[in-house]
Amino acid sequence: MRAGTETRTWHGPLERLDEFRWQIPQSYDPGMRVPGLVFTDEHLLEDIKNDQSLQQVANVAHLPGIVKASMAMPDIHWGYGFPIGGVAAMDAKTGVISPGGVGYDINCGVRLVRTDLNEADVRPVLKQLVAALFNTVPCGVGMSGEIRVNRAEAANVMRQGARWVVGQGYGTAADLEHTESNGCLDGANPDAVSDRAVQRGADQLGTLGSGNHFLEVQVVDTVYDEVSAAACGVAVGQVTVMIHSGSRGFGYQICDDYLDVTGRAMQMAGISVPDRQLACAPISSSAGQAYLGAMRCAANYAWSNRQCLMHLARMAFERVFGKSWDALGMQLVYDVAHNIAKFETHQVNGGTQTLCVHRKGATRAFPPGHPETPAAYREIGQPVIIPGDMGRNSYLLVGTEQAMRETFGSCCHGAGRVMSRAQAVREARGRSIEDELATQGVVVMGRGRKGVAEEQPSAYKDVNDVVRVVDGAGLAKRVARMKPIGVMKG
Amino acid sequence: MNTQKPYEFFDHTADVGMRATAPTLGALCVALARGLTELVAEDSRLEARETRPIDLAAEDAPTLVLTWLQELLFWFSTDQFLPVAYELEDVTPTRLRGRVRGQRFDPARHVQGREVKAVTRHLLDVRQEHGQWSGQVIVDI
């Protein structure tokens, strides 16, 4: 196949179920084991139809053991094998695990930190604050972290995740309570991780990375639900900090390694898929188990990384405001993964089933009262954090029973790109995105020459549109909206 | 510096594609490696200060090209080594051997490009037609 560069408009069947739901019927392709279910609206659907992501939704429906539907969130876009913004749950006994269903950046995710500061406290020192963050938090290409780990410690990071980082003094037990899975997945197997992955991860703990990763200082501009906002400790005018990063080179290498391993396992198991990038292995196979063990190491590395990054951000705030982070009220609201596969129990067709839920660019959104929803949020549901672009907004939502019933407790993960990187750089020619954002009151610092141009707001869908769909469909409920005032890009 | 680049970039939603055409498979590998270096370090002035041997085997030409680019990315990810000169001998669809010269990325002197997460198999295409080798590869940013 030589093509692939030009976009191909979707011509397959797409049945509208209601205002926010469209279905790709199973009859579209005889290999589909379940239908495709796309959460979107008419407006967002126009962009979605213009790439190959709907074909990818249909392709994922071919995977053995998939239950209910191959799902896509409104921020869906064309990925590798799986669409980005996809959810697929496989039966734990008969299903497959697919590295492509998790992605290169294993446990890429977002955390939201509240503060007691108001916009008026931060505005006068905003440039200084962004500079302090920029100097404290390593970011960009080839930058090493302050927090180095030797081989023995690396195994601790892989097994214990954020718990190990907190044990080193970089955070508190309360941080862990407010992290998905308490910042650690059981069943991590360092023996399943290649030396190359360990080498790529050795000096990247506590580094932000580049691309769409960021650290933002934000202000809450809207509260939709006073009770939930109060439980999360946020109110209009209050300053928050959002961190978006993942498992760095460590996770990228594990994905690469296991695309090969599962590709071979798939052939041996006689599984046929419509796209080589859907490489997968039966969960019960040795290849499947090895990937799961390695993926969990990367998930734990990512939680460690975001814990380190939050610690460094707290240190930068301490330096600028001359108070301890605790006195500044910098508590972690929540940390969520949006590239991960997890074993969870769900109700399917009236029965209880253990499933391997792949969330590739999708966020867990568990309801009030769920055992995995932290005590502080038991009444309101698990906080869901949805970052947008650097000019518009980001959101805090909470998970719902509707999501639990319909999407295995999942919702969207962000805005989703609409413009390629080259196109974004072309659009930015002769302009300074930094200056444009400055006139809107957003201070941006980026290390790369093209990084800020490539990540400009217009390169993304409007996160407000995306969130309106998940809120309208009942997959998560809006709690608060933030706007960026200080952005640090790798 | 030659003004005519032996490779070109193309758009892919969130990532970047590279393609090149060359008279030999070895030259194709070099062209795509130069593209990868530009993605990571833009037009940074790099010097051949360090020489590294390379010896790779693969089952076919596409996998060889992928393995080669993944190896260079690994060098960059682990100690920021960026290639600038290539002495490849003996490049067949299943074997690549030679030496790569370059230097380590210096954030103070070099230009930062993108952080390449991975060189992917997505739309990977390497073929020989009419006496020419052509290849395309997508890198995850």
Side-chain angles (χ1 to χ4, degrees):
Chain A
M1 180 168 50
R2 163 65 46 168
T5 54
E6 71 273 33
T7 52
R8 266 178 262 161
T9 307
W10 170 258
H11 293 298
L14 201 56
E15 296 167 357
R16 186 177 182 153
L17 303 178
D18 66 17
E19 191 182 353
F20 301 114
R21 291 166 179 81
W22 273 257
Q23 181 173 261
I24 302 172
Q26 205 178 326
S27 57
Y28 166 57
D29 184 325
M32 287 172 71
R33 295 165 193 260
V34 291
L37 178 61
V38 183
F39 294 86
T40 183
D41 64 12
E42 278 185 334
H43 166 65
L44 289 169
L45 192 58
E46 290 313 307
D47 277 331
I48 293 171
K49 279 181 175 171
N50 280 330
D51 67 21
Q52 293 176 54
S53 52
L54 292 174
Q55 182 59 50
Q56 293 188 320
V57 173
N59 290 347
V60 169
H62 287 69
L63 294 177
I66 187 167
V67 299
K68 223 151 94 173
S70 164
M71 296 178 194
M73 295 297 155
D75 49 340
I76 181 183
H77 56 278
W78 190 19
Y80 305 122
F82 276 67
I84 296 159
V87 178
M90 280 64 172
D91 180 83
K93 289 199 189 77
T94 62
V96 292
I97 175 87
S98 171
V102 172
Y104 278 102
D105 196 353
I106 296 166
N107 189 6
C108 186
V110 197
R111 65 172 52 193
L112 180 70
V113 182
R114 68 171 299 282
T115 74
D116 284 336
L117 298 163
N118 282 311
E119 185 170 5
D121 302 319
V122 173
R123 274 283 169 204
V125 291
L126 184 57
K127 277 191 179 156
Q128 195 189 331
L129 177 62
V130 176
L133 289 165
F134 203 72
N135 292 328
T136 310
V137 181
C139 71
V141 172
M143 293 299 284
S144 301
E146 268 177 45
I147 303 161
R148 283 176 170 270
V149 287
N150 62 34
R151 280 193 177 244
E153 290 167 331
N156 291 332
V157 170
M158 290 185 233
R159 284 203 188 88
Q160 299 172 33
R163 202 166 65 225
W164 183 82
V165 177
V166 167
Q168 302 300 300
Y170 306 126
T172 67
D175 296 339
L176 300 178
E177 281 170 31
H178 286 190
T179 302
E180 180 174 333
S181 298
N182 298 321
C184 178
L185 290 185
D186 289 336
N189 178 12
D191 293 339
V193 174
S194 68
D195 283 346
R196 287 168 84 91
V198 173
Q199 286 175 57
R200 281 184 76 174
D203 62 354
Q204 293 197 330
L205 202 59
T207 65
L208 189 62
S210 182
N212 63 354
H213 295 156
F214 66 77
L215 192 155
E216 270 184 17
V217 181
Q218 310 168 328
V219 174
V220 178
D221 77 350
T222 311
V223 162
Y224 302 89
D225 172 351
E226 293 286 349
V227 173
S228 299
C232 294
V234 298
V236 170
Q238 209 173 342
V239 169
T240 57
V241 178
M242 190 174 278
I243 297 167
H244 179 206
S245 189
S247 49
R248 315 288 293 109
F250 183 71
Y252 314 157
Q253 187 64 44
I254 286 174
C255 179
D256 241 349
D257 292 341
Y258 280 94
L259 281 170
D260 285 346
V261 171
T262 53
R264 288 193 294 272
M266 180 169 73
Q267 282 180 336
M268 279 172 60
I271 299 169
S272 128
V273 292
D275 178 352
R276 194 172 173 181
Q277 291 271 313
L278 287 174
C280 60
I283 290 166
S284 55
S285 68
S286 58
Q289 288 296 310
Y291 171 67
L292 280 163
M295 182 212 67
R296 289 166 179 147
C297 290
N300 293 343
Y301 183 102
W303 275 312
S304 301
N305 187 37
R306 289 197 291 277
Q307 183 67 31
C308 290
L309 291 168
M310 178 174 71
H311 167 76
L312 295 170
R314 282 168 168 171
M315 296 302 106
F317 269 74
E318 286 192 350
R319 277 203 277 281
V320 172
F321 292 97
K323 282 185 188 174
S324 73
W325 66 262
D326 202 27
L328 292 166
M330 294 186 73
Q331 282 98 33
L332 176 60
V333 175
Y334 204 61
D335 174 304
V336 280
H338 56 222
N339 278 357
I340 202 159
K342 294 171 88 174
F343 287 90
E344 296 170 356
T345 304
H346 289 276
Q347 299 295 316
V348 182
N349 302 326
T352 302
Q353 206 172 340
T354 302
L355 303 172
C356 178
V357 183
H358 295 70
R359 296 191 181 95
K360 162 85 173 283
T363 311
R364 197 184 73 173
F366 278 2
H370 191 282
E372 286 214 42
T373 301
Y377 307 124
R378 193 97 351 127
E379 304 291 318
I380 63 168
Q382 173 222 304
V384 172
I385 300 151
I386 307 298
D389 62 74
M390 62 169 103
R392 283 173 285 202
N393 302 105
S394 293
Y395 277 87
L396 172 64
L397 303 93
V398 282
T400 64
E401 282 296 343
Q402 178 70 29
M404 212 57 191
R405 279 195 300 273
E406 200 175 4
T407 58
F408 313 107
S410 313
C411 79
C412 65
H413 87 305
R417 280 193 90 89
V418 283
M419 210 184 267
S420 71
R421 289 176 184 279
Q423 194 185 344
V425 170
R426 281 195 297 275
E427 299 270 331
R429 204 159 279 162
R431 295 159 54 194
S432 162
I433 303 296
E434 282 97 334
D435 290 350
E436 288 175 19
L437 286 165
T439 62
Q440 296 169 36
V442 186
V443 174
V444 181
M445 283 187 83
R447 208 171 282 280
R449 185 194 283 172
K450 292 179 181 160
V452 173
E454 290 183 351
E455 295 294 323
Q456 63 180 289
S458 56
Y460 284 88
K461 292 178 193 173
D462 186 346
V463 73
N464 292 291
D465 295 340
V466 171
V467 167
R468 200 175 300 123
V469 171
V470 294
D471 183 86
L475 302 182
K477 299 310 283 180
R478 283 181 289 204
V479 172
R481 188 177 82 161
M482 287 74 74
K483 65 172 187 204
I485 59 170
V487 180
M488 169 183 163
K489 283 300 231 183
Chain B
M1 279 298 278
N2 53 343
T3 48
Q4 185 76 35
K5 287 178 184 172
Y7 54 86
E8 61 173 0
F9 297 118
F10 61 89
D11 289 351
H12 186 273
T13 322
D15 300 309
V16 177
M18 301 191 289
R19 64 163 75 91
T21 305
T24 65
L25 182 56
L28 179 71
C29 286
V30 170
L32 292 170
R34 291 192 192 281
L36 184 66
T37 303
E38 182 183 330
L39 284 178
V40 173
E42 304 273 346
D43 54 358
S44 295
R45 196 176 290 264
L46 299 167
E47 292 168 20
R49 292 186 184 176
E50 191 186 328
T51 303
R52 294 184 173 202
I54 190 155
D55 187 347
L56 302 170
E59 68 218 30
D60 53 31
T63 308
L64 184 84
V65 168
L66 186 71
T67 307
W68 155 249
L69 295 172
Q70 284 173 339
E71 187 69 16
L72 297 178
L73 177 62
F74 178 72
W75 286 354
F76 180 72
S77 316
T78 46
D79 47 25
Q80 290 81 54
F81 179 84
L82 282 168
V84 65
Y86 306 84
E87 293 156 19
L88 301 185
E89 51 203 66
D90 211 24
V91 180
T92 70
T94 55
R95 190 86 187 260
L96 180 151
R97 272 185 295 187
R99 281 164 304 283
V100 177
R101 299 199 291 152
Q103 72 169 115
R104 289 175 193 228
F105 181 82
D106 176 357
R109 296 185 47 223
H110 296 140
V111 182
Q112 179 188 310
R114 295 121 180 124
E115 182 178 54
V116 174
K117 288 180 186 166
V119 185
T120 78
R121 272 196 185 273
H122 184 61
L123 303 175
L124 174 68
D125 187 14
V126 174
R127 62 176 73 181
Q128 187 181 24
E129 267 174 349
H130 315 299
Q132 287 265 315
W133 281 90
S134 63
Q136 76 169 19
V137 62
I138 289 180
V139 298
D140 190 307
I141 305 287

